[in-house]
Short mmCIF file of all heavy atoms in Angstrom, two decimals:
data_model
loop_
_atom_site.label_atom_id
_atom_site.label_comp_id
_atom_site.label_asym_id
_atom_site.label_seq_id
_atom_site.Cartn_x
_atom_site.Cartn_y
_atom_site.Cartn_z
N MET A 1 17.97 6.19 17.41
CA MET A 1 17.67 7.42 16.67
C MET A 1 16.48 8.14 17.31
O MET A 1 15.53 7.51 17.75
CB MET A 1 17.35 7.02 15.24
CG MET A 1 16.73 8.10 14.40
SD MET A 1 16.66 7.59 12.68
CE MET A 1 17.87 8.67 12.02
N LYS A 2 16.56 9.47 17.39
CA LYS A 2 15.50 10.25 18.03
C LYS A 2 14.74 11.11 17.02
O LYS A 2 15.30 11.57 16.04
CB LYS A 2 16.09 11.16 19.11
CG LYS A 2 16.43 10.42 20.37
CD LYS A 2 16.76 11.38 21.49
CE LYS A 2 16.82 10.62 22.82
NZ LYS A 2 17.03 11.50 23.94
N CYS A 3 13.47 11.32 17.34
CA CYS A 3 12.61 12.13 16.49
C CYS A 3 13.09 13.59 16.51
O CYS A 3 13.35 14.14 17.57
CB CYS A 3 11.19 12.06 17.02
SG CYS A 3 10.06 13.14 16.15
N HIS A 4 13.19 14.20 15.32
CA HIS A 4 13.66 15.59 15.26
C HIS A 4 12.58 16.58 15.69
O HIS A 4 12.85 17.74 15.94
CB HIS A 4 14.18 15.92 13.85
CG HIS A 4 13.11 15.92 12.81
ND1 HIS A 4 12.59 17.07 12.30
CD2 HIS A 4 12.46 14.91 12.19
CE1 HIS A 4 11.66 16.76 11.40
NE2 HIS A 4 11.57 15.46 11.31
N LEU A 5 11.33 16.11 15.80
CA LEU A 5 10.25 17.01 16.22
C LEU A 5 10.04 16.99 17.73
O LEU A 5 9.99 18.03 18.37
CB LEU A 5 8.94 16.62 15.54
CG LEU A 5 8.81 16.91 14.05
CD1 LEU A 5 7.40 16.54 13.59
CD2 LEU A 5 9.08 18.39 13.75
N CYS A 6 9.91 15.79 18.30
CA CYS A 6 9.52 15.71 19.71
C CYS A 6 10.56 15.02 20.58
O CYS A 6 10.39 14.97 21.79
CB CYS A 6 8.16 15.01 19.84
SG CYS A 6 8.24 13.24 19.56
N GLY A 7 11.61 14.46 19.97
CA GLY A 7 12.62 13.78 20.77
C GLY A 7 12.23 12.36 21.17
O GLY A 7 12.94 11.72 21.93
N GLY A 8 11.10 11.90 20.67
CA GLY A 8 10.64 10.54 20.96
C GLY A 8 11.49 9.50 20.26
O GLY A 8 12.36 9.82 19.45
N ARG A 9 11.22 8.24 20.56
CA ARG A 9 12.00 7.16 19.99
C ARG A 9 11.49 6.81 18.59
O ARG A 9 10.30 6.71 18.36
CB ARG A 9 11.93 5.93 20.90
CG ARG A 9 12.94 4.86 20.55
CD ARG A 9 13.12 3.88 21.71
NE ARG A 9 11.84 3.31 22.14
CZ ARG A 9 11.32 2.20 21.60
NH1 ARG A 9 11.94 1.56 20.65
NH2 ARG A 9 10.17 1.74 22.04
N MET A 10 12.43 6.63 17.65
CA MET A 10 12.07 6.23 16.29
C MET A 10 12.24 4.72 16.17
O MET A 10 13.27 4.17 16.56
CB MET A 10 13.00 6.90 15.26
CG MET A 10 13.06 8.42 15.33
SD MET A 10 11.56 9.26 14.77
CE MET A 10 11.80 9.25 12.99
N ASP A 11 11.23 4.06 15.64
CA ASP A 11 11.30 2.61 15.42
C ASP A 11 11.34 2.33 13.93
O ASP A 11 10.74 3.06 13.14
CB ASP A 11 10.06 1.93 16.00
CG ASP A 11 10.10 1.90 17.53
OD1 ASP A 11 11.20 1.81 18.09
OD2 ASP A 11 9.02 1.98 18.14
N SER A 12 12.03 1.24 13.56
CA SER A 12 12.02 0.81 12.16
C SER A 12 10.74 0.04 11.91
O SER A 12 10.50 -0.99 12.54
CB SER A 12 13.22 -0.10 11.88
OG SER A 12 14.40 0.63 12.06
N VAL A 13 9.94 0.56 11.01
CA VAL A 13 8.67 -0.11 10.68
C VAL A 13 8.49 -0.10 9.17
O VAL A 13 9.20 0.60 8.45
CB VAL A 13 7.46 0.62 11.33
CG1 VAL A 13 7.50 0.52 12.84
CG2 VAL A 13 7.37 2.06 10.89
N CYS A 14 7.54 -0.89 8.68
CA CYS A 14 7.17 -0.84 7.28
C CYS A 14 5.79 -0.23 7.19
O CYS A 14 4.90 -0.57 7.96
CB CYS A 14 7.15 -2.24 6.66
SG CYS A 14 8.81 -2.83 6.36
N THR A 15 5.63 0.70 6.25
CA THR A 15 4.35 1.39 6.15
C THR A 15 3.96 1.55 4.69
O THR A 15 4.77 1.33 3.78
CB THR A 15 4.43 2.75 6.88
OG1 THR A 15 3.12 3.28 7.02
CG2 THR A 15 5.30 3.73 6.14
N ASP A 16 2.71 1.93 4.46
CA ASP A 16 2.20 2.19 3.11
C ASP A 16 2.03 3.69 2.95
O ASP A 16 1.45 4.33 3.81
CB ASP A 16 0.81 1.54 2.92
CG ASP A 16 0.82 0.06 3.22
OD1 ASP A 16 1.91 -0.54 3.23
OD2 ASP A 16 -0.26 -0.49 3.43
N LEU A 17 2.55 4.24 1.85
CA LEU A 17 2.44 5.68 1.65
C LEU A 17 1.95 6.01 0.25
O LEU A 17 2.36 5.37 -0.72
CB LEU A 17 3.81 6.35 1.83
CG LEU A 17 4.43 6.33 3.22
CD1 LEU A 17 5.84 6.90 3.14
CD2 LEU A 17 3.60 7.16 4.18
N PRO A 18 1.08 7.02 0.14
CA PRO A 18 0.65 7.48 -1.17
C PRO A 18 1.58 8.58 -1.68
O PRO A 18 2.03 9.43 -0.91
CB PRO A 18 -0.75 8.06 -0.89
CG PRO A 18 -0.69 8.51 0.53
CD PRO A 18 0.37 7.70 1.24
N PHE A 19 1.88 8.55 -2.98
CA PHE A 19 2.68 9.61 -3.60
C PHE A 19 1.88 10.22 -4.72
O PHE A 19 1.46 9.51 -5.65
CB PHE A 19 4.00 9.05 -4.16
CG PHE A 19 4.90 8.54 -3.07
CD1 PHE A 19 4.82 7.22 -2.65
CD2 PHE A 19 5.81 9.39 -2.45
CE1 PHE A 19 5.64 6.75 -1.62
CE2 PHE A 19 6.63 8.92 -1.43
CZ PHE A 19 6.55 7.61 -1.02
N LYS A 20 1.69 11.51 -4.66
CA LYS A 20 0.93 12.19 -5.70
C LYS A 20 1.90 12.63 -6.79
O LYS A 20 2.84 13.38 -6.53
CB LYS A 20 0.21 13.40 -5.08
CG LYS A 20 -0.89 13.90 -5.95
CD LYS A 20 -1.82 14.82 -5.19
CE LYS A 20 -2.90 15.28 -6.15
NZ LYS A 20 -3.80 16.25 -5.56
N LEU A 21 1.69 12.14 -8.00
CA LEU A 21 2.64 12.43 -9.08
C LEU A 21 2.26 13.72 -9.78
O LEU A 21 3.11 14.51 -10.17
CB LEU A 21 2.66 11.31 -10.12
CG LEU A 21 2.93 9.89 -9.59
CD1 LEU A 21 3.14 8.95 -10.75
CD2 LEU A 21 4.13 9.87 -8.66
N ASP A 22 1.00 13.91 -10.00
CA ASP A 22 0.49 15.19 -10.50
C ASP A 22 -0.97 15.25 -10.10
O ASP A 22 -1.43 14.45 -9.28
CB ASP A 22 0.74 15.38 -12.01
CG ASP A 22 0.04 14.32 -12.85
OD1 ASP A 22 -1.08 13.90 -12.47
OD2 ASP A 22 0.61 13.93 -13.87
N GLN A 23 -1.72 16.18 -10.68
CA GLN A 23 -3.08 16.42 -10.22
C GLN A 23 -3.97 15.17 -10.20
O GLN A 23 -4.82 15.04 -9.34
CB GLN A 23 -3.71 17.48 -11.12
CG GLN A 23 -4.88 18.15 -10.47
CD GLN A 23 -4.94 19.62 -10.86
OE1 GLN A 23 -4.17 20.08 -11.69
NE2 GLN A 23 -5.86 20.35 -10.28
N HIS A 24 -3.75 14.27 -11.15
CA HIS A 24 -4.67 13.14 -11.27
C HIS A 24 -4.02 11.79 -11.07
O HIS A 24 -4.67 10.77 -11.25
CB HIS A 24 -5.34 13.16 -12.65
CG HIS A 24 -6.11 14.42 -12.90
ND1 HIS A 24 -7.26 14.74 -12.20
CD2 HIS A 24 -5.87 15.45 -13.73
CE1 HIS A 24 -7.69 15.91 -12.61
NE2 HIS A 24 -6.87 16.38 -13.54
N ARG A 25 -2.76 11.75 -10.73
CA ARG A 25 -2.08 10.46 -10.64
C ARG A 25 -1.49 10.22 -9.26
O ARG A 25 -0.73 11.03 -8.76
CB ARG A 25 -0.99 10.37 -11.70
CG ARG A 25 -1.57 10.42 -13.11
CD ARG A 25 -0.48 10.61 -14.12
NE ARG A 25 0.52 9.56 -13.97
CZ ARG A 25 1.84 9.77 -14.12
NH1 ARG A 25 2.31 10.95 -14.39
NH2 ARG A 25 2.67 8.77 -13.99
N ILE A 26 -1.89 9.08 -8.69
CA ILE A 26 -1.41 8.73 -7.36
C ILE A 26 -0.84 7.31 -7.39
O ILE A 26 -1.43 6.42 -8.00
CB ILE A 26 -2.56 8.82 -6.32
CG1 ILE A 26 -3.01 10.27 -6.18
CG2 ILE A 26 -2.11 8.26 -4.97
CD1 ILE A 26 -4.20 10.47 -5.26
N VAL A 27 0.29 7.14 -6.77
CA VAL A 27 0.86 5.81 -6.59
C VAL A 27 0.88 5.51 -5.10
O VAL A 27 1.34 6.33 -4.31
CB VAL A 27 2.31 5.73 -7.12
CG1 VAL A 27 2.84 4.31 -6.99
CG2 VAL A 27 2.39 6.20 -8.56
N VAL A 28 0.35 4.37 -4.73
CA VAL A 28 0.44 3.92 -3.34
C VAL A 28 1.53 2.86 -3.29
O VAL A 28 1.49 1.89 -4.04
CB VAL A 28 -0.90 3.34 -2.85
CG1 VAL A 28 -0.75 2.81 -1.42
CG2 VAL A 28 -1.99 4.40 -2.90
N VAL A 29 2.52 3.08 -2.44
CA VAL A 29 3.59 2.11 -2.30
C VAL A 29 3.46 1.44 -0.94
O VAL A 29 3.39 2.11 0.09
CB VAL A 29 4.98 2.75 -2.48
CG1 VAL A 29 6.06 1.67 -2.46
CG2 VAL A 29 5.05 3.55 -3.77
N LYS A 30 3.42 0.11 -0.96
CA LYS A 30 3.21 -0.65 0.27
C LYS A 30 4.52 -1.19 0.81
O LYS A 30 5.46 -1.43 0.06
CB LYS A 30 2.25 -1.81 -0.01
CG LYS A 30 0.96 -1.35 -0.68
CD LYS A 30 -0.08 -2.42 -0.70
CE LYS A 30 -0.74 -2.47 0.65
NZ LYS A 30 -2.07 -3.04 0.64
N ASP A 31 4.54 -1.39 2.12
CA ASP A 31 5.69 -2.00 2.80
C ASP A 31 6.99 -1.24 2.60
O ASP A 31 8.03 -1.83 2.32
CB ASP A 31 5.88 -3.46 2.33
CG ASP A 31 4.76 -4.35 2.83
OD1 ASP A 31 4.17 -4.02 3.87
OD2 ASP A 31 4.50 -5.38 2.19
N ILE A 32 6.93 0.09 2.75
CA ILE A 32 8.15 0.90 2.67
C ILE A 32 8.83 0.90 4.04
O ILE A 32 8.19 1.21 5.05
CB ILE A 32 7.82 2.35 2.30
CG1 ILE A 32 7.00 2.40 1.01
CG2 ILE A 32 9.09 3.17 2.15
CD1 ILE A 32 6.41 3.77 0.75
N PRO A 33 10.12 0.56 4.09
CA PRO A 33 10.81 0.60 5.38
C PRO A 33 11.12 2.05 5.77
O PRO A 33 11.80 2.77 5.04
CB PRO A 33 12.10 -0.19 5.13
CG PRO A 33 12.30 -0.19 3.66
CD PRO A 33 10.98 0.08 3.00
N VAL A 34 10.59 2.48 6.91
CA VAL A 34 10.82 3.85 7.39
C VAL A 34 11.17 3.81 8.88
O VAL A 34 11.01 2.77 9.53
CB VAL A 34 9.55 4.74 7.22
CG1 VAL A 34 9.15 4.85 5.77
CG2 VAL A 34 8.38 4.24 8.06
N GLU A 35 11.62 4.94 9.39
CA GLU A 35 11.77 5.11 10.84
C GLU A 35 10.58 5.96 11.26
O GLU A 35 10.37 7.04 10.73
CB GLU A 35 13.05 5.88 11.17
CG GLU A 35 14.32 5.26 10.65
CD GLU A 35 14.78 4.08 11.46
OE1 GLU A 35 14.48 4.04 12.66
OE2 GLU A 35 15.43 3.19 10.88
N GLN A 36 9.79 5.43 12.22
CA GLN A 36 8.63 6.19 12.66
C GLN A 36 8.68 6.46 14.14
O GLN A 36 9.00 5.58 14.94
CB GLN A 36 7.34 5.45 12.30
CG GLN A 36 6.11 6.29 12.60
CD GLN A 36 4.87 5.83 11.86
OE1 GLN A 36 4.69 4.64 11.67
NE2 GLN A 36 4.04 6.76 11.45
N CYS A 37 8.35 7.71 14.50
CA CYS A 37 8.33 8.12 15.91
C CYS A 37 7.14 7.48 16.61
O CYS A 37 6.02 7.56 16.11
CB CYS A 37 8.22 9.64 15.99
SG CYS A 37 8.06 10.24 17.68
N ASN A 38 7.39 6.86 17.77
CA ASN A 38 6.25 6.24 18.45
C ASN A 38 5.51 7.20 19.37
O ASN A 38 4.56 6.81 20.01
CB ASN A 38 6.63 4.92 19.13
CG ASN A 38 7.66 5.11 20.21
OD1 ASN A 38 7.92 6.24 20.63
ND2 ASN A 38 8.25 4.03 20.65
N SER A 39 5.91 8.48 19.42
CA SER A 39 5.03 9.42 20.14
C SER A 39 4.25 10.32 19.20
O SER A 39 3.05 10.49 19.40
CB SER A 39 5.76 10.28 21.17
OG SER A 39 7.12 10.12 21.16
N CYS A 40 4.87 10.91 18.19
CA CYS A 40 4.10 11.86 17.37
C CYS A 40 3.77 11.32 15.98
O CYS A 40 2.99 11.93 15.26
CB CYS A 40 4.81 13.20 17.27
SG CYS A 40 6.23 13.19 16.17
N GLY A 41 4.37 10.20 15.59
CA GLY A 41 4.02 9.61 14.30
C GLY A 41 4.82 10.16 13.13
O GLY A 41 4.64 9.73 11.99
N GLU A 42 5.70 11.12 13.38
CA GLU A 42 6.58 11.65 12.33
C GLU A 42 7.42 10.52 11.77
O GLU A 42 7.84 9.63 12.50
CB GLU A 42 7.49 12.73 12.95
CG GLU A 42 8.57 13.28 12.04
CD GLU A 42 8.03 14.19 10.95
OE1 GLU A 42 6.83 14.52 10.97
OE2 GLU A 42 8.83 14.59 10.08
N PHE A 43 7.62 10.50 10.44
CA PHE A 43 8.48 9.45 9.93
C PHE A 43 9.55 9.99 9.02
O PHE A 43 9.50 11.12 8.55
CB PHE A 43 7.67 8.34 9.25
CG PHE A 43 6.91 8.80 8.05
CD1 PHE A 43 7.51 8.88 6.81
CD2 PHE A 43 5.58 9.16 8.19
CE1 PHE A 43 6.81 9.31 5.72
CE2 PHE A 43 4.86 9.60 7.09
CZ PHE A 43 5.48 9.67 5.85
N LEU A 44 10.55 9.15 8.80
CA LEU A 44 11.71 9.55 8.05
C LEU A 44 12.07 8.41 7.10
O LEU A 44 12.03 7.25 7.49
CB LEU A 44 12.80 9.81 9.07
CG LEU A 44 14.22 10.08 8.67
CD1 LEU A 44 14.69 11.26 9.51
CD2 LEU A 44 15.10 8.91 8.95
N ILE A 45 12.35 8.78 5.86
CA ILE A 45 12.73 7.78 4.86
C ILE A 45 14.21 7.95 4.56
O ILE A 45 14.66 9.06 4.24
CB ILE A 45 11.90 7.97 3.57
CG1 ILE A 45 10.40 7.84 3.87
CG2 ILE A 45 12.33 6.97 2.51
CD1 ILE A 45 9.50 8.13 2.68
N HIS A 46 14.97 6.89 4.67
CA HIS A 46 16.41 6.98 4.41
C HIS A 46 16.69 7.15 2.92
O HIS A 46 15.92 6.70 2.08
CB HIS A 46 17.10 5.72 4.94
CG HIS A 46 17.13 5.65 6.44
ND1 HIS A 46 17.83 6.54 7.21
CD2 HIS A 46 16.50 4.83 7.30
CE1 HIS A 46 17.64 6.25 8.49
NE2 HIS A 46 16.83 5.22 8.57
N ASP A 47 17.82 7.79 2.60
CA ASP A 47 18.17 8.11 1.21
C ASP A 47 18.15 6.91 0.26
O ASP A 47 17.60 7.03 -0.84
CB ASP A 47 19.53 8.80 1.14
CG ASP A 47 19.46 10.23 1.66
OD1 ASP A 47 18.33 10.74 1.81
OD2 ASP A 47 20.52 10.83 1.91
N PRO A 48 18.74 5.76 0.62
CA PRO A 48 18.71 4.63 -0.32
C PRO A 48 17.29 4.15 -0.62
O PRO A 48 16.99 3.75 -1.75
CB PRO A 48 19.50 3.52 0.40
CG PRO A 48 20.13 4.14 1.59
CD PRO A 48 19.46 5.45 1.85
N VAL A 49 16.42 4.24 0.40
CA VAL A 49 15.01 3.86 0.21
C VAL A 49 14.33 4.86 -0.71
O VAL A 49 13.58 4.51 -1.62
CB VAL A 49 14.29 3.78 1.58
CG1 VAL A 49 12.80 3.56 1.41
CG2 VAL A 49 14.90 2.68 2.43
N MET A 50 14.64 6.14 -0.49
CA MET A 50 14.08 7.21 -1.32
C MET A 50 14.48 7.03 -2.79
O MET A 50 13.67 7.23 -3.69
CB MET A 50 14.60 8.55 -0.78
CG MET A 50 13.72 9.73 -1.07
SD MET A 50 12.08 9.60 -0.32
CE MET A 50 11.08 10.01 -1.73
N GLU A 51 15.74 6.63 -3.02
CA GLU A 51 16.20 6.40 -4.40
C GLU A 51 15.44 5.25 -5.05
O GLU A 51 15.05 5.34 -6.21
CB GLU A 51 17.71 6.10 -4.42
CG GLU A 51 18.53 7.36 -4.24
CD GLU A 51 20.00 7.06 -3.95
OE1 GLU A 51 20.46 5.97 -4.32
OE2 GLU A 51 20.65 7.93 -3.36
N ASN A 52 15.23 4.17 -4.29
CA ASN A 52 14.43 3.07 -4.81
C ASN A 52 13.01 3.51 -5.13
O ASN A 52 12.44 3.11 -6.14
CB ASN A 52 14.37 1.91 -3.80
CG ASN A 52 15.62 1.07 -3.82
OD1 ASN A 52 16.40 1.12 -4.77
ND2 ASN A 52 15.82 0.30 -2.79
N LEU A 53 12.46 4.36 -4.25
CA LEU A 53 11.10 4.86 -4.46
C LEU A 53 11.04 5.69 -5.73
O LEU A 53 10.10 5.57 -6.52
CB LEU A 53 10.66 5.72 -3.28
CG LEU A 53 10.16 4.97 -2.05
CD1 LEU A 53 9.95 5.95 -0.91
CD2 LEU A 53 8.87 4.24 -2.35
N ASP A 54 12.06 6.54 -5.94
CA ASP A 54 12.10 7.38 -7.13
C ASP A 54 12.05 6.54 -8.40
O ASP A 54 11.31 6.84 -9.33
CB ASP A 54 13.37 8.24 -7.15
CG ASP A 54 13.22 9.48 -6.28
OD1 ASP A 54 12.08 9.81 -5.90
OD2 ASP A 54 14.25 10.11 -5.98
N SER A 55 12.86 5.46 -8.43
CA SER A 55 12.89 4.67 -9.65
C SER A 55 11.60 3.86 -9.81
O SER A 55 11.11 3.68 -10.92
CB SER A 55 14.14 3.80 -9.75
OG SER A 55 14.31 3.07 -8.59
N LEU A 56 11.05 3.42 -8.68
CA LEU A 56 9.76 2.71 -8.75
C LEU A 56 8.68 3.64 -9.31
O LEU A 56 7.91 3.26 -10.18
CB LEU A 56 9.40 2.23 -7.34
CG LEU A 56 8.23 1.28 -7.17
CD1 LEU A 56 8.43 0.44 -5.92
CD2 LEU A 56 6.91 2.01 -7.07
N ILE A 57 8.65 4.88 -8.81
CA ILE A 57 7.64 5.84 -9.24
C ILE A 57 7.84 6.20 -10.72
O ILE A 57 6.88 6.34 -11.47
CB ILE A 57 7.65 7.08 -8.31
CG1 ILE A 57 7.04 6.69 -6.95
CG2 ILE A 57 6.91 8.25 -8.92
CD1 ILE A 57 7.29 7.69 -5.85
N ASP A 58 9.12 6.31 -11.13
CA ASP A 58 9.42 6.58 -12.55
C ASP A 58 8.90 5.47 -13.46
O ASP A 58 8.60 5.72 -14.63
CB ASP A 58 10.93 6.71 -12.76
CG ASP A 58 11.43 8.08 -12.37
OD1 ASP A 58 10.59 8.98 -12.16
OD2 ASP A 58 12.66 8.26 -12.30
N SER A 59 8.85 4.25 -12.94
CA SER A 59 8.48 3.11 -13.77
C SER A 59 6.96 2.95 -13.91
O SER A 59 6.49 2.07 -14.62
CB SER A 59 9.09 1.83 -13.21
OG SER A 59 8.38 1.42 -12.06
N VAL A 60 6.19 3.78 -13.20
CA VAL A 60 4.73 3.67 -13.25
C VAL A 60 4.22 4.19 -14.59
O VAL A 60 4.65 5.23 -15.07
CB VAL A 60 4.09 4.44 -12.08
CG1 VAL A 60 2.59 4.53 -12.25
CG2 VAL A 60 4.44 3.79 -10.76
N ASP A 61 3.34 3.43 -15.18
CA ASP A 61 2.72 3.79 -16.46
C ASP A 61 2.06 5.17 -16.38
O ASP A 61 1.24 5.41 -15.49
CB ASP A 61 1.67 2.72 -16.77
CG ASP A 61 1.06 2.88 -18.14
OD1 ASP A 61 1.06 4.02 -18.67
OD2 ASP A 61 0.59 1.88 -18.69
N SER A 62 2.40 6.06 -17.29
CA SER A 62 1.91 7.45 -17.19
C SER A 62 0.42 7.57 -17.49
O SER A 62 -0.17 8.61 -17.23
CB SER A 62 2.71 8.36 -18.11
OG SER A 62 2.54 7.93 -19.44
N GLY A 63 -0.21 6.52 -18.01
CA GLY A 63 -1.65 6.60 -18.30
C GLY A 63 -2.52 6.13 -17.14
O GLY A 63 -3.73 6.19 -17.21
N VAL A 64 -1.88 5.69 -16.06
CA VAL A 64 -2.64 5.12 -14.95
C VAL A 64 -2.91 6.19 -13.90
O VAL A 64 -2.03 6.94 -13.52
CB VAL A 64 -1.83 3.95 -14.31
CG1 VAL A 64 -2.51 3.44 -13.06
CG2 VAL A 64 -1.66 2.83 -15.31
N GLU A 65 -4.16 6.27 -13.42
CA GLU A 65 -4.50 7.29 -12.43
C GLU A 65 -4.19 6.86 -11.01
O GLU A 65 -3.83 7.67 -10.17
CB GLU A 65 -5.99 7.64 -12.53
CG GLU A 65 -6.30 8.39 -13.81
CD GLU A 65 -7.67 9.04 -13.77
OE1 GLU A 65 -8.43 8.79 -12.83
OE2 GLU A 65 -7.96 9.80 -14.71
N LEU A 66 -4.36 5.58 -10.74
CA LEU A 66 -4.07 5.08 -9.40
C LEU A 66 -3.38 3.73 -9.54
O LEU A 66 -3.88 2.83 -10.20
CB LEU A 66 -5.36 4.92 -8.59
CG LEU A 66 -5.18 4.27 -7.22
CD1 LEU A 66 -4.37 5.14 -6.29
CD2 LEU A 66 -6.53 3.98 -6.59
N GLU A 67 -2.24 3.63 -8.92
CA GLU A 67 -1.49 2.39 -9.01
C GLU A 67 -1.02 2.00 -7.61
O GLU A 67 -0.65 2.85 -6.82
CB GLU A 67 -0.29 2.62 -9.93
CG GLU A 67 0.65 1.45 -10.02
CD GLU A 67 0.79 0.89 -11.43
OE1 GLU A 67 0.05 1.34 -12.33
OE2 GLU A 67 1.64 0.03 -11.60
N VAL A 68 -1.07 0.71 -7.31
CA VAL A 68 -0.55 0.24 -6.03
C VAL A 68 0.64 -0.66 -6.31
O VAL A 68 0.56 -1.60 -7.10
CB VAL A 68 -1.64 -0.54 -5.24
CG1 VAL A 68 -1.07 -1.05 -3.92
CG2 VAL A 68 -2.85 0.34 -5.00
N ARG A 69 1.76 -0.33 -5.72
CA ARG A 69 2.98 -1.11 -5.89
C ARG A 69 3.50 -1.56 -4.53
O ARG A 69 3.28 -0.88 -3.54
CB ARG A 69 4.07 -0.25 -6.54
CG ARG A 69 3.81 0.14 -7.97
CD ARG A 69 3.95 -1.06 -8.87
NE ARG A 69 3.79 -0.66 -10.27
CZ ARG A 69 4.84 -0.43 -11.09
NH1 ARG A 69 6.08 -0.55 -10.66
NH2 ARG A 69 4.62 -0.10 -12.35
N ARG A 70 4.19 -2.67 -4.55
CA ARG A 70 4.84 -3.10 -3.33
C ARG A 70 6.32 -2.71 -3.40
O ARG A 70 6.96 -2.91 -4.42
CB ARG A 70 4.70 -4.62 -3.20
CG ARG A 70 5.21 -5.19 -1.89
CD ARG A 70 4.70 -6.60 -1.69
NE ARG A 70 3.24 -6.64 -1.56
CZ ARG A 70 2.61 -6.49 -0.40
NH1 ARG A 70 3.28 -6.30 0.72
NH2 ARG A 70 1.30 -6.52 -0.35
N PHE A 71 6.81 -2.13 -2.32
CA PHE A 71 8.21 -1.72 -2.30
C PHE A 71 9.10 -2.95 -2.27
O PHE A 71 8.90 -3.85 -1.49
CB PHE A 71 8.49 -0.86 -1.06
CG PHE A 71 9.90 -0.32 -1.03
CD1 PHE A 71 10.22 0.82 -1.73
CD2 PHE A 71 10.88 -0.98 -0.30
CE1 PHE A 71 11.51 1.31 -1.72
CE2 PHE A 71 12.18 -0.49 -0.29
CZ PHE A 71 12.49 0.65 -0.99
N ALA A 72 10.09 -2.97 -3.17
CA ALA A 72 11.04 -4.06 -3.17
C ALA A 72 12.44 -3.47 -3.06
O ALA A 72 12.85 -2.69 -3.90
CB ALA A 72 10.91 -4.88 -4.44
N ALA A 73 13.13 -3.77 -1.99
CA ALA A 73 14.46 -3.19 -1.76
C ALA A 73 15.48 -3.78 -2.73
O ALA A 73 15.33 -4.92 -3.14
CB ALA A 73 14.90 -3.41 -0.33
ZN1 LIG B 101 8.13 12.57 17.38
#
């Protein structure tokens, strides 16, 4: 798979990403499987992973300002 920005090679890696839910709420999800470009750092999340992330984020307690979760496929 090639990077859509620079044409570099995309590698399958696991990374940690923050998701801002609203002005005061952030969820950090660890060990998310993504494809990352090894020249420019652009990354891409596949649809099934995105769906898992959506449900994980939905399950976060709405009273919490910062939460760290581990991605589980
Ligand atoms: Zn790239």
Side-chain angles (χ1 to χ4, degrees):
M1 167 171 250
K2 283 191 169 184
C3 175
H4 67 104
L5 288 184
C6 73
R9 192 162 55 88
M10 304 290 278
D11 287 328
S12 296
V13 294
C14 284
T15 192
D16 305 341
L17 293 174
F19 294 90
K20 197 164 180 184
L21 306 189
D22 62 35
Q23 201 144 5
H24 301 292
R25 296 169 55 218
I26 294 176
V27 183
V28 176
V29 185
K30 308 192 80 156
D31 291 334
I32 305 168
V34 299
E35 303 283 332
Q36 186 160 36
C37 176
N38 62 14
S39 6
C40 74
E42 174 72 7
F43 63 84
L44 172 134
I45 301 175
H46 290 294
D47 287 346
V49 173
M50 206 63 228
E51 283 168 23
N52 281 343
L53 279 172
D54 279 345
S55 51
L56 190 153
I57 287 166
D58 279 349
S59 75
V60 171
D61 187 335
S62 61
V64 174
E65 290 195 351
L66 174 66
E67 175 120 353
V68 179
R69 292 289 184 98
R70 186 165 295 273
F71 184 83

